[in-house]
Amino acid sequence: MNNNNIDLKTLSQTKEDTLTVTDEPSSSPKPISDVHDSCSTTKATECKLKRKLDLVILPLTTLLYLASFLDRGNMGNARLQGLESDLMGNSDTKFSIALTCFYISYIAFNVPGNIMAKVLQPPTALAIAALIWGTASTLQAATFNFPELIVCRLFVGIGEAGFGPTVPFYYSIWYKREEIAIRNAFFIGCGALAGAFGGLIAYGVSFAKGTSIGATWRILFLIEGLPTIVLAVLIFLLLPNRPETSKYLTEEERTLAVTRLATSQSGGAHTKNFQWSGFRRAITDYKIYVCAVIYLGINLSLASLSGFLPTIISSLGYSNAQAQLYSVPPYACAAVFMILMSFFSDRTGCRGLFVASAMMVSCTGWIILLTVVNNQHARYFSTFLTTMGSFAAIPLTLSWVSNNCANESQRVVELGMLNGIGQTFSILAAFIFPTTDQPYWYKGFGLNLAFNALSALLAIILYLILRFENARRDRKEGGRSSDLTDVDVYTYNDLAPGFRYVA
């Protein structure tokens, strides 16, 4: 850090020298032109660096999320292909338990899994996580009884716990505050695409009769599990580790990558080691608990759609094969809507109002499902709204939490807490769509509507609180500064002078 600070101070001094305007009339226009050219050159160089990072970081992480969502959500498709009858005796309760086991281990290992990314290099932690859940997901194809399936689901959850919150943290060590949401959207967008691809894959696999492997759900687990193992190897070999040490960048690019974050509040303060002061600040930060409750409502809908969307569509009067196919369009639209929402959130520097808007879209969908009982076309349209709203809110909330953590240790803990607490309602989702409630599903639809509305309300309240707090700090400190080159990295957090929240 000392070398980086020296470079930044030199850079700052150079900037001051460049901005100095002498008393000689003949030379006064030159510095202004030089400053303009220098700014343009710096911006172009920074854009080139971001393109180079995006070229490798985004494809690898988004593909891995695509794989993770396929492995997490394939139970809903496998159910319609005979998994429930073969291993569970057509028991709704056993199917719900199988869904729940994933979330139990996922919740329990969220914070430890995210801390692992801070202790190890992030690519190493991500590769280990992907190898664990990819292997477990593939082995589901070899299960012949209910307990074997449960063990596999537990290990899928353990692996994905070290992945889900780690990628948003990983983005934060490479990108600025205003650059994160759109990238989180591409990342989470692959979850929506996974729902689309999952439906297409399941639809195709449903016609694979008479193979030596046996039931079509076994083929489904193999097709969706094996690519994750390949991706784990690619992540370990190709994903850049940190800006200051990455061999993917040249020396000049490493310097630019470090300095552009260090001269803003984007990267925050960081050290190589995990700092327990960041842990203490995280568990005492009221904002993470508010965001976690917001995330409860989001994940209730996400888990409901992941586990039951094909079943819900089937209950509208479509065959099982048609239900697999008709689950594709809502996910595809959700991916586009999510990217648009995150793009405008980054451009405006606002998170809370966009989270609230997304949840209101989802609420509208649940209202239609509850109140319109005879028009199946309208009910199918409402699945678009619920899917679009709940998916769009995920990258926005992840970015919101990440943006408002002032150091890496606090950030890894809060992102882990967000996922750990927020995913508890995913367990609830496994039990609110019993087949006896079809086709109206009043309990499932009603609970989703209630908690989506609560999420929207809390997002607006937190937005107003953070706006008020930023204004209070501006008045107290006489303005704001984004330069973090002289902060004490061992004590700096979001309560320190100079820090401002993203509302």
Side-chain angles (χ1 to χ4, degrees):
M1 286 295 293
N2 290 336
N3 291 336
N4 289 337
N5 286 339
I6 291 172
D7 292 341
L8 290 171
K9 290 175 181 177
T10 304
L11 179 65
S12 176
Q13 183 62 48
T14 303
K15 186 184 290 187
E16 290 176 5
D17 293 342
T18 306
L19 291 171
T20 301
V21 180
T22 65
D23 294 332
E24 299 178 17
S26 60
S27 62
S28 57
K30 184 177 181 180
I32 298 174
S33 176
D34 288 347
V35 170
H36 177 76
D37 292 342
S38 175
C39 290
S40 299
T41 302
T42 301
K43 187 175 181 179
T45 306
E46 200 168 327
C47 289
K48 182 179 178 182
L49 172 65
K50 286 189 290 184
R51 285 195 297 269
K52 184 174 181 178
L53 294 174
D54 289 342
L55 190 63
V56 64
I57 290 175
L58 288 184
L60 288 174
T61 54
T62 53
L63 282 174
L64 197 57
Y65 193 79
L66 175 66
S68 79
F69 206 86
L70 284 173
D71 293 335
R72 178 192 308 188
N74 52 20
M75 290 289 288
N77 291 318
R79 183 189 197 183
L80 297 183
Q81 294 183 356
L83 173 68
E84 189 175 39
S85 59
D86 290 349
L87 300 186
M88 306 175 193
N90 286 319
S91 169
D92 280 353
T93 302
K94 285 187 175 181
F95 181 76
S96 296
I97 290 172
L99 291 179
T100 301
C101 284
F102 166 84
Y103 290 109
I104 289 174
S105 56
Y106 184 82
I107 291 166
F109 285 87
N110 245 278
V111 173
N114 217 27
I115 290 177
M116 183 173 69
K118 176 64 178 172
V119 176
L120 304 176
Q121 293 288 4
T124 304
L126 288 171
I128 292 172
L131 187 62
I132 292 172
W133 98 67
T135 302
S137 182
T138 304
L139 289 176
Q140 289 177 124
T143 57
F144 289 92
N145 55 58
F146 184 63
E148 289 176 356
L149 179 66
I150 292 301
V151 171
C152 289
R153 295 302 294 175
L154 286 170
F155 275 94
V156 172
I158 291 172
E160 292 206 22
F163 164 72
T166 299
V167 172
F169 161 69
Y170 177 67
Y171 287 165
S172 74
I173 68 177
W174 284 103
Y175 298 104
K176 291 182 178 181
R177 274 177 160 185
E178 62 273 17
E179 299 165 354
I180 287 179
I182 187 64
R183 287 165 176 84
N184 276 332
F186 280 112
F187 167 61
I188 304 296
C190 273
L193 290 178
F197 284 127
L200 288 173
I201 293 170
Y203 180 72
V205 167
S206 66
F207 295 100
K209 308 291 186 180
T211 65
S212 59
I213 297 176
T216 55
W217 59 263
R218 297 186 188 277
I219 301 173
L220 181 67
F221 284 139
L222 284 174
I223 290 176
E224 295 184 352
L226 288 172
T228 304
I229 299 174
V230 177
L231 279 171
V233 177
L234 294 177
I235 287 286
F236 180 76
L237 295 176
L238 301 178
L239 196 66
N241 43 51
R242 283 182 169 275
E244 58 268 24
T245 59
S246 175
K247 295 180 181 179
Y248 177 65
L249 303 179
T250 66
E251 183 63 36
E252 293 78 11
E253 289 170 336
R254 282 196 293 271
T255 301
L256 177 60
V258 171
T259 55
R260 81 188 198 97
L261 295 178
T263 53
S264 73
Q265 293 186 0
S266 302
H270 70 272
T271 62
K272 282 188 175 181
N273 301 321
F274 180 78
Q275 298 298 318
W276 286 101
S277 60
F279 177 85
R280 288 190 296 271
R281 174 55 194 151
I283 63 175
T284 57
D285 182 8
Y286 76 92
K287 299 187 303 301
I288 185 57
Y289 296 103
V290 176
C291 286
V293 174
I294 294 171
Y295 215 52
L296 284 173
I298 298 169
N299 276 291
L300 179 63
S301 293
L302 183 65
S304 296
L305 295 167
S306 173
F308 295 97
L309 183 59
T311 304
I312 293 170
I313 293 176
S314 176
S315 73
L316 301 182
Y318 301 101
S319 68
N320 286 349
Q322 287 176 320
Q324 309 274 16
L325 190 61
Y326 288 160
S327 67
V328 173
Y331 283 116
C333 290
V336 175
F337 183 68
M338 181 191 315
I339 291 170
L340 289 174
M341 289 284 282
S342 294
F343 173 78
F344 287 111
S345 175
D346 274 347
R347 290 294 294 269
T348 59
C350 174
R351 304 290 187 224
L353 295 182
F354 283 89
V355 172
S357 299
M359 296 317 294
M360 288 175 184
V361 171
S362 184
C363 283
T364 304
W366 296 118
I367 290 171
I368 294 174
L369 283 168
L370 276 169
T371 57
V372 179
V373 295
N374 295 319
N375 188 331
Q376 303 308 328
H377 295 294
R379 300 190 85 202
Y380 178 58
F381 168 73
S382 68
T383 65
F384 283 74
L385 299 179
T386 57
T387 308
M388 290 164 59
S390 57
F391 267 94
I394 299 170
L396 295 170
T397 308
L398 288 170
S399 301
W400 204 5
V401 171
S402 179
N403 289 162
N404 289 327
C405 295
N407 63 71
E408 288 186 5
S409 297
Q410 179 185 353
R411 192 175 300 127
V412 295
V413 175
E414 291 207 9
L415 286 170
M417 291 173 64
L418 178 72
N419 269 279
I421 299 172
Q423 289 288 354
T424 54
F425 269 20
S426 297
I427 297 175
L428 174 63
F431 294 92
I432 59 176
F433 288 95
T435 53
T436 53
D437 284 359
Q438 65 178 341
Y440 303 118
W441 314 100
Y442 289 124
K443 182 196 302 179
F445 296 159
L447 284 170
N448 273 281
L449 173 60
F451 283 102
N452 280 195
L454 177 61
S455 296
L457 177 62
L458 288 177
I460 294 172
I461 292 172
L462 185 58
Y463 165 80
L464 295 173
I465 290 173
L466 295 180
R467 285 289 301 268
F468 175 82
E469 176 61 18
N470 283 343
R472 186 191 68 82
R473 293 187 183 190
D474 285 346
R475 291 192 301 270
K476 181 179 179 181
E477 298 170 17
R480 58 180 71 184
S481 172
S482 62
D483 193 344
L484 302 184
T485 57
D486 295 322
V487 302
D488 183 348
V489 295
Y490 296 101
T491 60
Y492 187 77
N493 59 41
D494 61 293
L495 299 178
F499 188 87
R500 296 296 185 273
Y501 297 109
V502 173

